[in-house]
Amino acid sequence: MGDQPYELMDARQAADALDAYLAERDPALRRLRGALADGGLDPDETLDGSVYSVSPLWAWITARIAALGVDPHPLADDPTRPGWPSWARHGRLVDPHPPAETIALVDGFASYLGRVIGAEAPEAAWQVGEHLLADHPLLNYPVLATDHHLIFLPAIPLYSAYQSAHGRAPMSGTEMLAHTRRTIDALHGEGPEAAAIEEPLVTVVAEVDCFDVGLREDIPAEHPQIVPQLIDELCARDGVASVHRYGPAALVVDVTDWDELRLKLWCTLWLQRHLPR
């Protein structure tokens, strides 16, 4: 299977990738405990299993990530890549990318987050991401899921890690705590994230020399300020030449170095962070 992207896996490969992800959870958590101890923190106190503990833990991790910056190698030449967790090798990381130590911290945090969320939503189970929509962004990913919601746990922490590594505003501990609580609610079938399982926040269609981006219709209707903010931040990203809004929930994006999936993931994660709750 090598480093094949999740999106290109067949059913057997995706099942094997889920097994690999789950097998990595305990070692990742042990490495996080070691990093905390090396940083002068008591792992047992820091990782007490409470939902609130996510906040100070993520604040500590974010400070470490900001200091680590980006790796000097391009992805294809990074000598540490074979030792990365499987989700990072099969996922869509882009250059300039965080170094191996940052990825390990995100991996450990995702493991801990899985334990915290699993304790609060015991009905959730690990499975291969599936959806009625053939281009859903979590297809084939290892997800924690109920009938109401599914989540790939490293996604939001990795998004924030990229923000830190590139000198942009990362998610604070308070924001990560709010994300955790929303995820628990969604797995229980409560809140806007639960409703989003039927219709994704973003759809992207590749056109000639551009991408057609559609936002879920309720986003501009209920949060009219959010679309201009998304456009401004998307325009500031490397490689984005222009973003034109031709309808309340419709954008044309000119970005030659991105593919359809990268644009969809960026917009989805940005909206998950910024949509008012």
Side-chain angles (χ1 to χ4, degrees):
M1 182 166 55
D3 291 347
Q4 185 171 15
Y6 286 116
E7 295 79 13
L8 301 181
M9 292 180 180
D10 59 28
R12 176 61 181 272
Q13 290 170 327
D16 289 345
L18 172 62
D19 289 342
Y21 177 84
L22 294 178
E24 294 165 347
R25 294 310 90 214
D26 286 346
L29 190 56
R30 286 196 296 270
R31 285 190 291 271
L32 177 61
R33 292 179 64 88
L36 290 167
D38 291 344
L41 299 178
D42 184 329
D44 291 332
E45 290 184 4
T46 306
L47 308 178
D48 66 7
S50 67
V51 174
Y52 176 76
S53 66
V54 167
S55 179
L57 173 61
W58 184 248
W60 181 84
I61 289 175
T62 293
R64 292 284 302 123
I65 288 173
L68 291 168
V70 297
D71 194 278
H73 304 90
L75 279 167
D77 299 330
D78 189 335
T80 68
R81 187 169 183 173
W84 290 0
S86 60
W87 62 263
R89 290 182 283 105
H90 298 309
R92 292 285 185 142
L93 274 68
V94 297
D95 285 322
H97 64 281
E101 187 175 347
T102 290
I103 293 171
L105 288 169
V106 170
D107 193 35
F109 181 77
S111 289
Y112 182 64
L113 197 59
R115 292 197 176 190
V116 170
I117 292 174
E120 296 293 321
E123 69 274 29
W126 291 101
Q127 65 180 51
V128 172
E130 56 185 20
H131 201 275
L132 294 175
L133 299 175
D135 64 345
H136 192 274
L138 293 184
L139 280 177
N140 294 336
Y141 279 70
V143 297
L144 191 60
T146 64
D147 291 340
H148 310 290
H149 186 60
L150 50 83
I151 182 170
F152 174 58
L153 289 176
I156 286 288
L158 182 63
Y159 164 83
S160 183
Y162 263 93
Q163 292 286 99
S164 294
H166 288 252
R168 302 187 181 105
M171 293 181 70
S172 66
T174 301
E175 283 183 279
M176 192 61 75
L177 176 59
H179 163 68
T180 302
R181 287 173 170 159
R182 289 195 302 268
T183 298
I184 293 167
D185 288 344
L187 290 168
H188 288 312
E190 303 165 0
E193 277 82 0
I197 195 168
E198 295 299 333
E199 184 179 357
L201 294 171
V202 179
T203 58
V204 177
V205 177
E207 304 288 357
V208 178
D209 297 329
C210 67
F211 294 97
D212 195 322
V213 177
L215 307 178
R216 205 174 61 197
E217 291 186 359
D218 63 293
I219 293 173
E222 297 179 10
H223 311 289
Q225 79 287 354
I226 206 75
V227 182
Q229 186 181 354
L230 182 149
I231 291 172
D232 287 345
E233 293 209 22
L234 184 55
C235 285
R237 289 303 182 268
D238 293 340
V240 178
S242 65
V243 180
H244 171 64
R245 185 179 185 182
Y246 68 91
L251 311 174
V252 171
V253 181
D254 180 1
V255 52
T256 56
D257 295 333
W258 293 23
D259 60 16
E260 184 177 340
L261 181 63
R262 179 178 175 184
L263 181 58
K264 182 187 299 183
L265 286 174
W266 187 91
C267 292
T268 298
L269 292 171
W270 189 93
L271 287 167
Q272 286 177 344
R273 179 183 183 186
H274 291 281
L275 276 174
R277 300 306 197 277

